[in-house]
């Protein structure tokens, strides 16, 4: 199956975005991007801010920010004449890669840590026709394995070490600035796992500055989950980068102990006068429920942003009147199991300690009896 032909304006837009693509037939797109900026008063209050705006990447075709990079990566694979593409993933990359590869007539092969990815993501990979290999190892170990296999079998690797993915993810920030009439915010806050996204954001901001499209660079704040926070540890002591051998977090998207892009991320965060923070499982869970109550919703990793902001405003690092954009990286339906457990008080952290359902909203079982239900709803 080849991707649908683009109309004239579509051809023009995508050629601008992918200057390396010489043939329109190579462009693989599912009409990603154009994700909204959503203000949320209650979430701002919770985060200690006067205002907050969420850039919601969960509105993308496969429900995460990976689509902005994958359109580029899959197009480049076609340009190179590859027929098989592979990735290791904590879930979203595999869902996105499966969709874009299949849309572009490529065979997707994905490697995932067995039992450690959310069903919303695994389900997508299966539905989009990916050959799905579940490995009894963690993300970092599988990435090493896949790098060897891709080389040996001549399969094109579509992890974020692929520079074309990073080029594509730059579009998230370019689009954000366009939506804000090229007025950069004071801060852009995003979750960090393998640290590809913050690398892309930093590169985009530097390039926009060089082109004169923006006149100041927002500060980049990366938030990690406490049990998977090697980059935060390094940021604190700066002596040597030490991977976390057994990363743990319920925010499985960012359960990564040895992020490959940390040197690039360090450069970008330093250049933007940014910072790295970490948050607990409880803080992520409560922030996520607050984003949900705003009618917006996101997956656990994305909620690390609001949890981090709350921490950073509490100590005065981010001022209450700051102009802040938090990037929600994944859709609320990626991990419904987590949501159900939180609201019913069944969610436990990776050490088996119960997460308090601070903002619980459990379903109530009622008899098939109008009087009883009326009494309940009075
Ligand atoms: N948020 C979500 C929802 C993610 O899926 C990821 C990464 C991140 C944040 C972290 O972004 O790695 O660029 O720092 N998910 C990857 C995957 C690793 O395989 O889907 P990063």
């Amino acid at each position: 199956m080849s991707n649908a032909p683009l109309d004239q304006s579509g051809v023009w837009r995508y050629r601008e975005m992918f200057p390396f693509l010489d043939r329109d037939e190579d462009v693989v797109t599912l009409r990603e991007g154009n994700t909204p900026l959503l203000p949320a008063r209650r979430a701002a209050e919770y985060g200690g801010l006067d205002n907050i705006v969420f850039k919601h990447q969960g509105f993308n075709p496969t429900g995460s920010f990976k689509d902005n990079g994958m359109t580029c990566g899959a197009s480049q694979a076609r340009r190179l004449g590859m027929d098989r593409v592979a990735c290791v993933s904590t879930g979203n990359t595999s869902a996105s890669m499966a969709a874009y590869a299949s849309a572009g007539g490529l065979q997707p092969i994905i490697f995932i840590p067995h039992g450690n990815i959310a069903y919303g993501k695994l389900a997508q990979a299966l539905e989009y026709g990916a050959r799905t290999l579940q490995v009894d190892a963690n993300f970092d170990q599988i990435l090493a394995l896949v790098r060897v296999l891709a080389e040996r079998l001549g399969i094109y690797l579509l992890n974020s070490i692929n520079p074309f993915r990073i080029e594509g993810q730059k579009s998230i920030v370019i689009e954000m600035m366009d939506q804000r009439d090229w007025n950069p915010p004071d801060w852009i806050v995003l979750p960090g796992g393998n640290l590809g996204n913050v690398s892309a954001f930093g590169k985009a901001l530097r390039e926009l500055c060089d082109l004169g499209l923006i006149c100041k660079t927002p500060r980049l704040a990366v938030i990690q989950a406490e049990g998977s926070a090697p980059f935060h540890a390094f940021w604190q002591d700066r002596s040597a980068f030490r991977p976390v051998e057994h990363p743990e977090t319920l925010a499985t998207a960012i359960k990564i102990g040895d992020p490959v892009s940390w040197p690039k991320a360090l450069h970008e965060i330093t250049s933007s006068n940014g910072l790295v923070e970490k948050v607990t499982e409880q803080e992520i869970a409560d922030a996520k429920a607050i984003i949900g109550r705003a009618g917006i919703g996101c997956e656990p990793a994305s909620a690390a942003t609001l949890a981090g902001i709350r921490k950073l405003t509490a100590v005065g690092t981010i001022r209450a009147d700051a102009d802040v954009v938090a990037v929600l990286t994944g859709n609320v339906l990626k991990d419904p199991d987590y949501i159900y457990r939180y609201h019913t008080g069944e969610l436990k952290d990776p050490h088996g300690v119960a997460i308090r359902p601070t903002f619980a909203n459990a379903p109530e079982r009622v008899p098939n009896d109008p009087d009883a239900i009326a009494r309940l709803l009075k």
Side-chain angles (χ1 to χ4, degrees), residues 246-263:
H246 300 293
E248 289 295 354
T249 173
L250 298 178
T252 49
I254 49 173
K255 188 173 167 180
I256 293 175
D258 193 5
V260 283
S261 295
W262 76 261

Side-chain angles (χ1 to χ4, degrees), residues 29-30 58 81 96 107 221 232 262-263 265 269 276 309 320-321 342 346 376:
T29 178
L30 292 167
S96 182
Q107 195 205 339
H232 175 263
W262 76 261
I269 296 168
V276 186
I309 290 166
D321 62 356
Y342 175 83
E346 293 164 28
L376 194 73

Side-chain angles (χ1 to χ4, degrees), residues 86-88 93 139 143-144 146-148 150 156-167 169 194-197 258-262 264:
C87 72
V88 52
T93 299
F139 176 91
L143 181 56
V146 172
R147 284 172 96 156
V148 172
Y156 193 61
L157 196 55
L158 276 177
N159 273 99
S160 60
I161 42 175
N162 183 313
F164 293 92
R165 286 261 324 273
I166 298 295
E167 287 303 301
Q169 280 170 218
N194 221 10
L195 303 172
N197 210 24
D258 193 5
V260 283
S261 295
W262 76 261
K264 281 191 211 164

Side-chain angles (χ1 to χ4, degrees), residues 52 73 141 166 220 263 298 303:
I52 193 169
Q141 295 161 329
I166 298 295
L220 292 170
C298 64

